[in-house]
Amino acid sequence: MIYKTNSGEEVFRNDNSIVVKFPGKRNAVTTSYVNGGYREDLTAIFNHEPKPTKGHCSHNLEGGSVEAYIVIHSQRLGLNPETTAAMMTAAKMKNAAISTRSFRNLEVTSIVTAGIEVNGGRAGDPASWHEEEGQTVYVGGTINTIILVNCFLPAHTLTRVIMTATEAKTVAIQQLMAPSKYSTGIATGSGTDQMCVISNMESPHVITWAGKHSKLGELVARCVIDATTEALAKQTNLTPDSQRDMLVRLDRFGVDEKKYWEVAASFEGENKRDLFIRNLRNFSKIPVVVAMVSSLLHIEDEIGWGLIPELAGKRVALSMMKSLPDVVNTLKKPNFNLILDERFNIIENWIRLSAWCVKCGFSGNVP
């Protein structure tokens, strides 16, 4: 047992599963393939990491489907398949995070496993698969969230908790600027996220609202933000420190070291690739460089969202970029007329100028 709530729910970790057993009558809204939706008869829920399957397809799971597999694994865990709900993920159970917050007689606990390095996406991104004739695809990388509330929540309140918790999950991801793998946008989750919300039907305390204005909504959101942030850090080292890197920020636009070297090789000076890449990595982690590129990328995002006219955005971005050599104390100054061009987009101009600074003017020392 790794945790126990004040209302008696026991949380166990069993190798590749986390199991929550309910001590009494509970109602729940879950996204489980088995016993999902609204239920008042659940006795347990588990989060599980199955062994990888060929092609990541559900019909290759033991039993031939997600539903059959959940029943099989419920029995393996000593649980009643008829009153057990479940979620599955590629995240490691050892990397689960638990957060609890309370206010007066209200207690909320969130248990999260998280990984979006494979299929993190932004709502509205192009789809990657389609369900047809009962066949589904199991994809690695998921944020699974279990929320336990010690008070009694009617069915409509449980669904409101899911809304608030989903927004909170997105807050955690966006505060880390985690990229979508299917577009140039910031992720809002993964394509396979699941959630379960459970309340205590035996509690004399009834709460009917879980929106952002309510204390329940606040506690749910804080728990989900905290646990999601911790789980992402434990699973894939997605942290503020790991995101404090120019190349990491540019990755969602398809920019990498290879692209930088292609641009740098066209500038004056000796073409020593290994030296350039080493200096580029040092340059990439300079806090003022990260601050500048994040500002420029936000301008690029707002142009894409239609909030800033493209020409106005480009002009402001170019003006900002021209301060870069002074900010990083380059050994010499560039000829901006040869490097920057309004015909290029913001990112292309940034790559050209920052590549020049690394190759021709950067001392290799982080200021």
Side-chain angles (χ1 to χ4, degrees), residues 35-47:
N35 301 321
Y38 178 73
R39 303 282 297 223
E40 296 185 354
D41 61 348
L42 295 183
T43 57
I45 185 168
F46 67 85
N47 188 12

Side-chain angles (χ1 to χ4, degrees), residues 309-344:
E310 184 175 9
L311 183 58
K314 280 185 178 181
R315 286 179 175 173
V316 171
L318 287 172
S319 177
M320 291 172 58
M321 287 183 210
K322 289 178 180 179
S323 68
L324 178 62
D326 289 332
V327 167
V328 296
N329 298 322
T330 56
L331 300 175
K332 58 181 181 178
K333 304 305 176 186
N335 183 339
F336 292 119
N337 292 329
L338 296 178
I339 297 174
L340 301 179
D341 192 328
E342 281 195 10
R343 292 174 297 179
F344 298 149

Side-chain angles (χ1 to χ4, degrees), residues 75-313:
Q75 295 170 332
R76 241 183 228 131
L77 293 169
L79 304 174
N80 181 353
E82 295 183 359
T83 58
T84 298
M87 303 180 293
M88 295 197 297
T89 178
K92 302 293 183 184
M93 295 300 113
K94 66 180 181 180
N95 294 326
I98 300 175
S99 175
T100 295
R101 289 185 178 240
S102 59
F103 177 77
R104 296 181 180 174
N105 55 21
L106 171 63
E107 180 186 87
V108 177
T109 297
S110 179
I111 308 164
V112 177
T113 57
I116 56 173
E117 76 282 5
V118 175
N119 71 327
R122 185 175 182 85
D125 280 352
S128 56
W129 56 275
H130 172 61
E131 183 176 358
E132 194 168 280
E133 297 179 354
Q135 296 299 313
T136 57
V137 177
Y138 172 71
V139 182
T142 298
I143 298 177
N144 282 351
T145 306
I146 298 172
I147 298 170
L148 307 170
V149 181
N150 70 329
C151 296
F152 172 49
L153 310 183
H156 72 275
T157 313
L158 289 171
T159 58
R160 174 66 67 171
V161 169
I162 285 185
M163 290 180 63
T164 300
T166 300
E167 289 186 40
K169 174 195 67 176
T170 300
V171 168
I173 296 169
Q174 298 213 324
Q175 286 180 169
L176 290 166
M177 295 297 288
S180 167
K181 299 300 181 180
Y182 307 97
S183 71
T184 60
I186 304 299
T188 56
S190 87
T192 50
D193 292 350
Q194 295 196 69
M195 188 173 294
C196 299
V197 183
I198 300 98
S199 89
N200 182 4
M201 297 184 73
E202 297 175 345
S203 171
H205 306 292
V206 181
I207 299 181
T208 61
W209 189 252
K212 289 183 286 294
H213 297 303
S214 71
K215 198 65 181 179
L216 173 57
E218 176 195 334
L219 298 187
V220 165
R222 290 309 322 169
C223 283
V224 170
I225 291 170
D226 292 346
T228 302
T229 301
E230 182 182 345
L232 287 168
K234 294 168 74 173
Q235 177 69 25
T236 60
N237 192 37
L238 178 57
T239 66
D241 284 345
S242 71
Q243 293 296 89
R244 201 171 293 127
D245 188 311
M246 176 190 74
L247 290 171
V248 171
R249 297 299 184 90
L250 288 168
D251 179 67
R252 66 183 168 109
F253 294 93
V255 179
D256 56 16
E257 292 176 353
K258 180 181 178 182
K259 174 65 175 177
Y260 257 93
W261 175 242
E262 289 174 354
V263 173
S266 66
F267 293 139
E268 62 182 11
E270 292 183 305
N271 285 329
K272 295 181 178 179
R273 185 182 186 279
D274 289 346
L275 175 62
F276 174 81
I277 295 300
R278 184 165 62 249
N279 285 339
L280 175 65
R281 290 173 182 174
N282 289 334
F283 181 89
S284 185
K285 291 179 172 60
I286 300 174
V288 290
V289 171
V290 180
M292 186 173 289
V293 77
S294 65
S295 300
L296 294 171
L297 294 183
H298 190 67
I299 292 175
E300 183 73 13
D301 285 335
E302 293 215 3
I303 290 172
W305 301 333
L307 297 177
I308 296 176
E310 184 175 9
L311 183 58

